[in-house]
Amino acid sequence: MGRAWAKNILSTSHRVELVGWVDVIDGKARQAISELDIDVATNIRDFVSLTEALTVTKPDFVIDVSIPEAHEEVTVTALGYGVAVLGEKPMSVSLASAHRMLAAAAEAQKLYMVSQSRRYDSGLVAFKQAIESLGGVAILTADFFIGAHFGGFRDEMPDVLLKDMAIHTFDAARYLVGAKPLTVYCDSFRVPWSWYSGDESALATFEFENGIRFSYRGSWAAEGHQTEWEACWRAICPRGTVTWDGMGKVIVDKIVGDSGFIRETVKSDWTIDDLPFVGIAGSLNDFLDALEQGTEPMGLCTDNIWSLAMVLYAVESSRLGQKVEIAI
Ligand SMILES: NC(=O)c1ccc[n+]([C@@H]2O[C@H](COP(=O)([O-])OP(=O)(O)OC[C@H]3O[C@@H](n4cnc5c(N)ncnc54)[C@H](O)[C@@H]3O)[C@@H](O)[C@H]2O)c1
């Protein structure tokens, strides 16, 4: 993912310059830099120590693309040097750790934003607008079914679906609902044919403020009839229903009749112009705007902690076998 971020920075060269690359494994950063365009690569220093990189290059900000277990150390160190941070999801591995990161950002009075790159998607933005046109959502559902044969660390990771993937879908649900999650009941489990050692499947129901319910069904061991990585969505609203398959058109089915056993509805597409910055390019653009103009980016740490909380309390609910309250 570090390589994807480097390309993202290089294609935003009118606003940002890549001056250093840190990896704790000696040689890895050097190798990655050597794969870049030679003219650019000669100006990028490689380091194994973040503190040395901060001292030598004096950057305006750090992009943290380390493993989740290292996010706290990287973020708190950079903030301690008075340097803003744009970090990969998930913020961290526990809420206690996330709170220490929030405290470090407050203490340094520097921006710390988490990149939830899947928010920068014209389909998702259109879906949210369509929901609002029907009076807001009361029941939101998301299906995520992909038979993913990664190999590597994910095959051994406990709660792999919830911790490595579902945060994207849960964060998207928060964006769509625009309210706080209050409770979750989750059943996280392995299917009998699973090639994962941790739970690769989960069924979860969240309650948000205003009685809004969000139902999530997901599996990384579901082969055939694959959904999109953005999940397949349905929003039940007072004036009708909106669907989005995560890739194609957002379809609004609006009530037009006021009598009959089944009320008459009319279907239409809800389209918007393509977003200028998609995925991690959207995150970077949002972050740079916030640094330069003081705007509030999506993924601001004090807001993003709620997406992490949805994941961690879903895991806890499954362990306890009961509904739990979500509190940060
Ligand atoms: N937004 C997305 O769609 C998306 C996709 C993939 C990964 N990610 C996220 O990106 C992050 C990295 O994932 P990845 O798949 O690239 O992992 P990876 O294991 O391939 O790479 C992580 C790198 O970080 C290095 N590292 C570990 N600790 C470090 C530290 N303290 N300082 C500097 N470097 C350190 C490792 O040596 C390794 O080279 C994770 O948080 C992951 O969740 C996001």
Side-chain angles (χ1 to χ4, degrees), residues 1-3 5 22-25 28 48 50 64-68 70-71 73-74 88-90 115-118 153-154 163-164 168 280:
M1 201 61 192
R3 285 175 169 80
W5 272 103
V22 185
D23 199 299
V24 284
I25 298 175
K28 270 192 114 175
V48 287
L50 175 60
D64 176 15
V65 200
S66 64
I67 54 174
H71 286 177
E73 186 199 327
V74 170
E88 260 297 346
K89 49 58 64 176
S115 166
Q116 293 282 176
S117 55
R118 289 172 196 269
F153 75 93
R154 289 183 180 84
K163 287 190 170 162
D164 200 51
H168 287 295
I280 58 172

Side-chain angles (χ1 to χ4, degrees), residues 146-187:
I146 293 179
H149 296 260
F150 292 101
F153 75 93
R154 289 183 180 84
D155 286 5
E156 313 301 326
M157 189 177 174
D159 303 296
V160 61
L161 179 75
L162 288 173
K163 287 190 170 162
D164 200 51
M165 185 64 217
I167 191 154
H168 287 295
T169 321
F170 294 176
D171 182 72
R174 265 196 339 107
Y175 168 70
L176 294 167
V177 166
K180 260 184 206 160
L182 300 177
T183 65
V184 56
Y185 173 73
C186 178
D187 185 11

Side-chain angles (χ1 to χ4, degrees), residues 46 97 119 139 144:
D46 66 289
S97 167
R119 279 203 186 196
I139 305 172
F144 176 92

Side-chain angles (χ1 to χ4, degrees), residues 61-277:
F61 63 91
V62 161
I63 299 182
D64 176 15
V65 200
S66 64
I67 54 174
E69 292 74 9
H71 286 177
E72 179 186 349
E73 186 199 327
V74 170
T75 300
V76 170
T77 301
L79 290 167
Y81 275 72
V83 173
V85 177
L86 173 54
E88 260 297 346
K89 49 58 64 176
M91 184 183 283
S92 195
V93 291
S94 74
L95 280 178
S97 167
H99 277 294
R100 289 191 291 271
M101 297 161 88
L102 263 52
E107 165 97 19
Q109 297 188 10
K110 290 288 169 185
L111 178 62
Y112 169 37
M113 166 184 161
V114 177
S115 166
Q116 293 282 176
S117 55
R118 289 172 196 269
R119 279 203 186 196
Y120 305 92
D121 180 308
S122 48
L124 186 71
V125 175
F127 186 44
K128 183 175 172 69
Q129 285 182 8
I131 287 170
E132 283 160 10
S133 80
L134 292 185
V137 64
I139 305 172
L140 182 67
T141 70
D143 282 350
F144 176 92
F145 293 111
I146 293 179
H149 296 260
F150 292 101
F153 75 93
R154 289 183 180 84
D155 286 5
E156 313 301 326
M157 189 177 174
D159 303 296
V160 61
L161 179 75
L162 288 173
K163 287 190 170 162
D164 200 51
M165 185 64 217
I167 191 154
H168 287 295
T169 321
F170 294 176
D171 182 72
R174 265 196 339 107
Y175 168 70
L176 294 167
V177 166
K180 260 184 206 160
L182 300 177
T183 65
V184 56
Y185 173 73
C186 178
D187 185 11
S188 172
F189 55 97
R190 293 174 68 247
V191 294
W193 61 88
S194 181
W195 53 93
Y196 294 87
S197 62
D199 290 347
E200 86 305 293
S201 301
L203 305 171
T205 305
F206 292 88
E207 184 176 347
F208 281 73
E209 288 171 320
N210 308 321
I212 299 165
R213 304 303 204 274
F214 167 52
S215 166
Y216 171 82
R217 305 187 295 184
S219 177
W220 248 341
E223 308 208 66
H225 280 297
Q226 177 179 321
T227 63
E228 299 297 340
W229 286 81
E230 269 59 39
C232 180
W233 296 82
R234 176 181 286 256
I236 316 296
C237 310
R239 297 199 282 275
T241 290
V242 192
T243 57
W244 180 47
D245 68 3
M247 177 62 78
K249 286 180 176 159
V250 169
I251 301 168
V252 178
D253 200 10
K254 186 176 180 178
I255 304 167
V256 290
D258 57 6
S259 61
F261 176 58
I262 303 288
R263 300 297 200 243
E264 189 186 345
T265 59
V266 169
K267 285 196 177 72
S268 61
D269 299 341
W270 190 285
T271 50
I272 62 166
D273 291 342
D274 287 341
L275 298 182
F277 303 103

